[in-house]
Amino acid sequence: MVSRVTAVRRRPQEPRWDPARQISVDHRSPVPLYFQVASQIEDAITSGALPVGARLDNEIELAGNLGLSRPTIRQAIGSLVDKGLVVRKRGAGTQVVFNHVKRSLELSSLHDDLTGIEAHPTTRVLVNEICHPPEEAARALGLSEQDEVLHLERVRSARGEPIARMRNYLPAALIKPGDEDLTERGLYQLLRAAGVRLHAAQQTIGARTATDEEADLLDEPPGAALLTAQRITHDHTGTIVEYGTHVYRASRYTFDLTLRGNT
């Protein structure tokens, strides 16, 4: 009996990102050498060329391949560790742990932004209720504390890691989403689907440390740095349709601003 073996054609693998070939260092530049190395590795992480789980060469190999001192490489890797992009593991070297999320300040939801960068957002619904608003939310929405509002609290994750705890208050008559709706879609998607035409928002960015509850929800140590955002959103008629107060992990998230000078 003759056996036949069918050859399986394998798809060629993407070439591994090689810092020795793809990092360019300019010794004449006023930019510190460690920063040149760190920024190029960060670009590779955020572009996906260095995916989550990828391991970097050890410091001695990187230094030798790039023609730099080991302290320079150690400083470059240390800056990436401080940003939460990589971790040092004993016996395993330096490993990419997360793609830092940058978000432009636009009238969009976090769910939409994460979907746009293929960060695979997921949502855990903590609160979905009709209630009377606390004083701060009532004042922001232009309502009384006797009026009814939709109160939402959710934890948003990206690539399996929690990024933000979001708290929102909306006039009760606008939408009545179920938990499944909130899990599968962003709040602004739900508002637009209900016919609400979002027009403008005022947003205030700040920072503070995490409470014990926030640290637990966001998988951070108590007292970790958090970014904060408060937003009041208007529809096309000028009516206030949302008051949101959110906290974000500073180790995993940044806001991106474009500043223009006077011409």
Side-chain angles (χ1 to χ4, degrees):
M1 183 171 67
V2 178
S3 297
R4 292 186 178 180
V5 178
T6 302
V8 177
R9 179 173 295 177
R10 300 183 182 274
R11 296 178 62 185
Q13 292 185 339
E14 291 293 326
R16 179 178 176 270
W17 192 84
D18 183 359
R21 291 188 300 106
Q22 290 159 293
I23 289 180
S24 175
V25 177
D26 183 355
H27 290 264
R28 296 170 299 178
S29 171
V31 178
L33 295 173
Y34 88 89
F35 187 84
Q36 293 184 45
V37 173
S39 61
Q40 290 175 72
I41 294 175
E42 181 175 352
D43 288 344
I45 293 173
T46 56
S47 71
L50 274 175
V52 173
R55 286 182 170 84
L56 301 180
D57 295 336
N58 64 46
E59 292 177 1
I60 296 175
E61 291 174 333
L62 278 175
N65 289 332
L66 296 174
L68 299 172
S69 69
R70 188 174 177 184
T72 295
I73 297 299
R74 185 181 299 117
Q75 188 176 7
I77 299 300
S79 69
L80 297 172
V81 171
D82 292 341
K83 290 184 176 183
L85 296 174
V86 302
V87 292
R88 291 187 175 105
K89 294 186 176 181
R90 184 179 299 275
T94 302
Q95 186 174 15
V96 177
V97 291
F98 196 76
N99 292 356
H100 204 93
V101 174
K102 289 185 178 182
R103 183 182 185 187
S104 298
L105 288 182
E106 299 175 353
L107 189 49
S108 59
S109 71
L110 178 57
H111 183 279
D112 293 344
D113 291 338
L114 294 175
T115 299
I117 62 170
E118 299 183 353
H120 310 295
T122 56
T123 303
R124 175 184 168 197
V125 179
L126 305 176
V127 177
N128 178 10
E129 65 177 3
I130 300 294
C131 65
H132 298 297
E135 180 182 359
E136 178 185 6
R139 184 170 58 252
L141 291 169
L143 302 174
S144 75
E145 293 179 55
Q146 286 68 49
D147 289 321
E148 289 190 332
V149 296
L150 173 63
H151 170 210
L152 304 174
E153 292 194 30
R154 296 155 292 156
V155 173
R156 185 83 79 213
S157 297
R159 305 183 185 95
E161 284 202 68
I163 282 194
R165 190 230 64 206
M166 304 177 295
R167 180 181 290 126
N168 301 82
Y169 295 92
L170 302 87
L174 278 182
I175 54 174
K176 295 180 173 59
D179 286 0
E180 185 176 350
D181 298 320
L182 295 167
T183 299
E184 295 180 352
R185 304 173 71 185
L187 179 59
Y188 284 4
Q189 284 182 323
L190 296 171
L191 285 169
R192 291 186 176 105
V196 178
R197 294 166 57 188
L198 304 173
H199 176 67
Q202 296 89 42
Q203 182 157 288
T204 302
I205 306 298
R208 61 174 174 79
T209 57
T211 65
D212 289 347
E213 178 189 13
E214 290 166 342
D216 184 60
L217 288 172
L218 298 176
D219 195 22
E220 289 278 5
L226 298 178
L227 295 172
T228 67
Q230 291 186 337
R231 178 182 285 191
I232 298 175
T233 306
H234 302 256
D235 68 9
H236 69 292
T237 69
T239 302
I240 297 173
V241 294
E242 177 224 5
Y243 170 62
T245 173
H246 304 163
V247 293
Y248 305 85
R249 297 174 70 180
S251 64
R252 297 290 188 269
Y253 195 89
T254 56
F255 290 102
D256 199 13
L257 300 174
T258 298
L259 305 178
R260 295 180 174 86
N262 295 325
T263 56

